[in-house]
């Protein structure tokens, strides 16, 4: 195994495009195998080594045991495909599609014993998170522990890129030069285990080689079918790929074609990996947003640590939801964290305009008349002179937004400062690139009031727990206390609040005790497809 490295280390100083390219190349040399339960690891690797050297491998469970195998050369996959066959059932007829998703059978299953270790691909239970945080030495240690527990593992990142690569193989039947890239939480360094896999179908590279030749007497061009608009083209292309996934895609189930949405998409479950997937096309600004968050997350370790804590807190307090509605989104919360860190004195991270000023010619990017230019080289950005600890920043975050004038000011990470609200939305967070859009326009007044109340309550809890550690507390404290069910009116009646907190604490400790008596392997075997991002 030996692949669990902190994401901050593995991506340090790499540009977003360099990271994407390296991950895509890894994925193109990789295969996915559905394995029987009794699988001898060494024998399997020895068998596969007949086709070439193996660089990396790991096992995981999702509707059965699976293995990801990365060869050192792509040619090894062609060799393995030549040695494999398409099975024919007695009552069913197979679709003859040679993918990089294989099924392995044992010739003598009764003689085999399994010696594989599975990497975890699912989000941990809240009771287990609380337990780990209670054992930490300080609030700062709790915050960093939470990030390590929730963040995507090296294996999970590889599996996400491989899943995109497998879907790309299917789309390439119609569009041979297309690429399918992950975006959003899967790549921006803020994703947690169990988050959705957002995919972007990029057809731009197909046209890049079609430079007009002016020499000679003739101009040769492709005969194409024309449609009235780019949106119509996107709908048609995604509709066809959705049909292919539904009919020919191994492991692709519950395919939905949601083509009349503002951003047309195909939603499906990739059963083998366990990911809930959203495939979009004309969505280049979302990819630039992913790159921007990647840069902010790579600049200073406190950015990601704070975002993970705030997002986990919001989820436990039901301020966010996987179901569309009037809730805050994880993206909105992350932008709020970035804005808060820009407002510190001195700033922890620079404004988007500052990043734009550092850009050079190759960074220039205009998408649909929106200026999406910012520096891509992290080495050109000066480190922050801010020395505040992450526990101080978390407390200050809650205090800042618990008293923010949402009624008159908007949040703008491009400028790194408040501006007057352009409309009467309860909360206005300007889209970093489509500056006329409010990314939190769905949030209603009551949800904003809940956020403000809980932020004030959380600031009070952290102030009360300041300096406390696991050695002096018998109940959840610090960050762990923030992840308990909310106590109404605590800030108004502290004494009554403490009594209600004790009751909530008792229930939580009982659930932790109950979970610890269970076989931990039993929870691993339960496979669920999470829809949270």
């Amino acid at each position: 195994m030996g692949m669990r490295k902190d994401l901050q280390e593995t991506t340090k100083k790499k540009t977003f495009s360099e990271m994407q390219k390296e991950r895509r190349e890894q994925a193109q040399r990789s295969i996915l195998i559905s394995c029987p339960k009794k699988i001898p690891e060494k024998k399997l690797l020895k068998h596969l080594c007949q086709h070439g050297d193996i660089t990396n491998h790991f096992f995981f469970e999702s509707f059965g045991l699976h293995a990801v195998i990365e060869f050192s050369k792509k040619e090894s996959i062609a060799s393995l495909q030549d040695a494999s066959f398409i099975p024919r059932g007695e009552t069913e007829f197979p679709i003859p599609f040679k993918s990089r998703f294989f099924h392995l059978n044992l010739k003598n299953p009764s003689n085999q014993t399994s010696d594989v270790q599975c990497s975890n691909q699912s989000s941990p239970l809240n009771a287990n998170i609380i337990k780990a945080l209670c054992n930490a030495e300080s609030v700062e240690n709790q915050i960093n522990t939470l990030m390590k527990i929730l963040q995507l593992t090296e294996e999970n990142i590889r599996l996400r890129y491989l899943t995109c690569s497998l879907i790309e193989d299917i789309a390439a039947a119609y569009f041979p030069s297309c690429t399918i890239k992950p975006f959003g939480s899967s790549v921006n360094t803020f994703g947690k285990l169990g988050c959705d896999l957002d995919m972007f179908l990029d057809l731009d590279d197909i046209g890049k080689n079609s430079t007009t030749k002016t020499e000679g007497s003739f101009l040769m061009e492709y005969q194409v079918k024309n449609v009235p608009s780019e949106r119509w083209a996107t709908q048609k292309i995604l509709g066809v790929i959705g049909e292919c996934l539904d009919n020919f895609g191994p492991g692709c189930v519950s395919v939905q074609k949601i083509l009349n949405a503002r951003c047309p998409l195909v939603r499906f479950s990739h059963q083998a990996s366990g990911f809930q997937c959203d495939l979009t096309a004309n969505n280049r600004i979302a990819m630039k947003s992913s790159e921007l968050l990647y840069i902010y997350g790579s600049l200073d370790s406190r950015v990601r640590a704070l975002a993970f804590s705030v997002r986990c807190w919001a989820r436990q307090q039901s301020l966010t939801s996987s179901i569309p509605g009037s809730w805050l989104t994880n993206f909105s919360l992350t932008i709020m964290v970035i804005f808060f860190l820009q407002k510190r004195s001195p700033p922890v991270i620079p404004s988007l305009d500052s990043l734009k000023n550092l850009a050079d010619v190759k960074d220039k990017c205009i998408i649909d008349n929106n200026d999406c230019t910012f520096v891509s080289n992290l080495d050109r950005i000066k480190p922050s002179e801010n020395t505040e600890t992450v526990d101080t920043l978390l407390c200050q975050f809650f205090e800042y937004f618990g008293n923010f004038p949402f009624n008159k000011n908007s949040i703008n990470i491009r400028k790194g400062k408040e501006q007057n609200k352009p409309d009467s939305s309860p909360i206005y967070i300007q889209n970093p690139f489509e500056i006329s859009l409010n990314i939190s326009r769905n949030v209603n007044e009551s949800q904003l009031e809940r956020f403000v109340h809980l932020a004030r309550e959380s600031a009070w809890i952290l102030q009360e727990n300041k300096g406390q550690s696991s050695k002096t507390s018998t109940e959840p404290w610090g960050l762990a206390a923030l992840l308990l069910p909310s106590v109404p009116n605590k800030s108004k009646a502290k004494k009554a609040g403490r009594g209600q907190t004790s009751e909530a604490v008792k229930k939580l400790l009982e659930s932790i005790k109950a979970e610890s008596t269970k076989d931990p392997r039993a929870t691993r075997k339960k496979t669920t497809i999470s829809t949270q991002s």
Side-chain angles (χ1 to χ4, degrees):
M1 303 287 283
M3 291 169 59
R4 293 183 182 277
K5 296 178 183 176
D6 190 283
L7 188 63
Q8 200 76 10
E9 293 177 16
T10 59
T11 58
K12 194 175 181 182
K13 298 300 179 185
K14 287 178 186 169
T15 67
F16 185 71
S17 59
E18 286 170 347
M19 180 275 293
Q20 287 267 59
K21 183 181 178 183
E22 183 181 297
R23 292 290 188 184
R24 276 177 48 77
E25 287 174 351
Q26 284 177 346
Q28 288 166 351
R29 297 193 304 269
S30 301
I31 61 170
L32 182 61
I33 304 177
S34 171
C35 304
K37 287 184 179 179
K38 292 183 176 181
I39 181 74
E41 183 175 359
K42 289 181 180 177
K43 285 185 180 179
L44 172 62
L45 295 177
K46 186 178 180 181
H47 175 75
L48 294 173
C49 277
Q50 298 175 74
H51 304 282
D53 293 335
I54 293 172
T55 305
N56 273 305
H57 77 283
F58 62 90
F59 294 87
F60 67 96
E61 285 196 10
S62 174
F63 295 92
L65 183 65
H66 290 80
V68 171
I69 309 291
E70 182 196 339
F71 289 102
S72 60
K73 295 180 180 178
K74 287 172 69 174
E75 291 78 14
S76 299
I77 296 174
S79 172
L80 179 60
Q81 286 174 322
D82 288 341
S84 305
F85 66 95
I86 294 173
R88 286 185 178 271
E90 293 181 6
T91 58
E92 295 179 318
F93 187 84
I95 302 292
F97 177 64
K98 293 185 177 181
S99 71
R100 286 181 285 140
F101 181 17
F102 299 88
H103 180 74
L104 186 74
N105 287 308
L106 287 169
K107 291 180 179 177
N108 299 303
S110 59
N111 299 334
Q112 305 295 343
T113 55
S114 178
D115 58 355
V116 302
Q117 285 186 316
C118 287
S119 70
N120 181 37
Q121 305 295 324
S122 57
S123 188
L125 296 170
N126 189 48
N128 293 341
I129 293 173
I130 299 284
K131 192 174 181 181
L133 298 186
C134 286
N135 291 329
E137 293 294 320
S138 64
V139 175
E140 183 176 12
N141 187 236
Q142 283 184 328
I143 293 168
N144 289 317
T145 297
L146 181 70
M147 180 173 70
K148 287 177 182 176
I149 291 172
L150 293 180
Q151 71 182 356
L152 301 182
T153 60
E154 171 69 12
E155 294 95 336
N156 195 265
I157 295 169
R158 285 174 179 265
L159 186 57
R160 287 171 185 270
Y161 275 88
L162 175 55
T163 303
C164 286
S165 191
L166 294 174
I167 303 305
E168 184 180 297
D169 289 347
I170 296 169
Y174 281 93
F175 306 101
S177 298
C178 75
T179 57
I180 290 184
K181 304 169 184 174
F183 71 94
S185 294
S186 296
V187 298
N188 64 20
T189 75
F190 294 93
K192 73 176 186 68
L193 283 170
C195 70
D196 289 358
L197 173 53
D198 293 312
M199 302 176 172
F200 171 56
L201 171 67
D202 193 350
L203 300 172
D204 283 358
D205 288 341
I206 296 176
K208 283 180 181 175
N209 297 326
S210 304
T211 52
T212 304
K213 304 288 193 298
T214 55
E215 298 173 5
S217 304
F218 302 98
L219 288 175
M220 292 294 289
E221 62 183 17
Y222 286 100
Q223 185 66 262
V224 296
K225 189 135 185 172
N226 293 305
V227 292
S229 67
E230 186 176 11
R231 177 178 172 82
W232 194 340
T234 299
Q235 289 172 319
K236 293 293 183 185
I237 290 166
L238 287 176
V240 168
I241 292 174
E243 285 292 319
C244 288
L245 294 176
D246 200 14
N247 293 313
F248 310 137
C252 298
V253 299
S254 305
V255 179
Q256 297 174 274
K257 292 177 288 182
I258 309 170
L259 304 179
N260 291 320
R262 190 176 82 86
C263 182
L265 64 103
V266 175
R267 177 168 291 160
F268 62 97
S269 295
H270 192 259
Q271 213 167 33
S273 63
F275 296 134
Q276 180 72 32
C277 306
D278 282 353
L279 174 65
T280 56
N282 187 20
N283 201 12
R284 290 179 288 276
I285 284 183
M287 185 63 81
K288 289 301 288 186
S289 296
S290 302
E291 182 178 358
L292 179 64
L293 293 191
Y294 170 87
I295 286 174
Y296 278 131
S298 302
L299 283 178
D300 193 299
S301 61
R302 291 172 292 179
V303 182
R304 294 178 63 239
L306 191 60
F308 271 95
S309 294
V310 170
R311 284 165 59 151
C312 186
W313 164 81
R315 189 176 72 254
Q316 296 306 324
Q317 300 300 340
S318 301
L319 289 168
T320 56
S321 174
S322 59
I323 305 166
S326 58
W327 300 275
L328 283 162
T329 64
N330 280 328
F331 182 58
S332 292
L333 285 169
T334 306
I335 295 297
M336 290 171 79
V337 168
I338 289 169
F339 180 74
F340 164 75
L341 294 175
Q342 290 172 338
K343 290 280 294 175
R344 303 309 289 168
S345 182
V348 176
I349 47 177
S351 67
L352 177 52
D353 276 351
S354 298
L355 296 181
K356 179 184 174 182
N357 292 336
L358 292 171
D360 56 25
V361 176
K362 66 178 176 59
D363 292 321
K364 188 171 178 62
C365 178
I366 307 293
I367 301 174
D368 300 331
N369 297 318
N370 296 295
D371 191 348
C372 303
T373 303
F374 53 85
V375 65
S376 60
N377 185 350
L378 275 69
D379 293 326
R380 299 185 65 182
I381 307 169
K382 289 182 180 179
S384 171
E385 295 178 1
N386 184 296
T387 57
E388 291 175 289
T389 58
V390 71
D391 54 324
T392 298
L393 289 171
L394 181 62
C395 186
Q396 289 295 312
F397 172 88
F398 289 126
E399 196 167 307
Y400 178 77
F401 282 111
N403 296 284
F404 188 85
F406 288 106
N407 61 323
K408 62 178 183 178
N409 287 349
S410 66
I411 294 165
N412 182 349
I413 68 165
R414 182 167 279 281
K415 301 293 181 188
K417 60 183 180 182
E418 304 100 332
Q419 291 188 308
N420 291 331
K421 275 204 305 186
D423 64 34
S424 59
S425 302
I427 176 172
Y428 197 103
I429 304 175
Q430 187 189 77
N431 186 300
F433 301 120
E434 297 175 279
I435 57 176
S436 63
L437 297 182
N438 173 14
I439 65 171
S440 56
R441 65 187 180 280
N442 61 301
V443 181
N444 61 27
E445 195 69 50
S446 64
Q447 285 297 318
L448 177 59
E449 285 175 4
R450 280 196 73 237
F451 170 81
V452 169
H453 167 73
L454 288 166
R456 290 175 179 175
E457 181 182 281
S458 298
W460 178 79
I461 290 172
L462 288 176
Q463 284 289 347
E464 188 184 55
N465 287 176
K466 200 169 185 180
Q468 193 175 33
S469 75
S470 57
K471 294 176 182 177
T472 60
S473 175
T474 57
E475 297 178 345
W477 56 279
L479 180 57
L482 301 191
L483 305 186
L484 297 174
S486 172
V487 180
N489 303 319
K490 181 190 290 182
S491 55
K492 291 182 181 178
K494 292 183 182 178
K495 289 183 181 178
R498 283 195 187 107
Q500 294 176 63
T501 303
S502 298
E503 199 61 36
V505 167
K506 284 177 186 175
K507 289 180 181 178
L508 184 88
L509 291 174
E510 285 171 7
S511 70
I512 292 174
K513 189 176 180 181
E515 281 297 326
S516 64
T517 59
K518 293 181 184 177
D519 180 359
R521 290 171 296 180
T523 56
R524 286 194 205 112
K525 290 177 183 176
K526 292 179 183 176
T527 306
T528 56
I529 299 176
S530 172
T531 56
Q532 287 197 355
S533 60

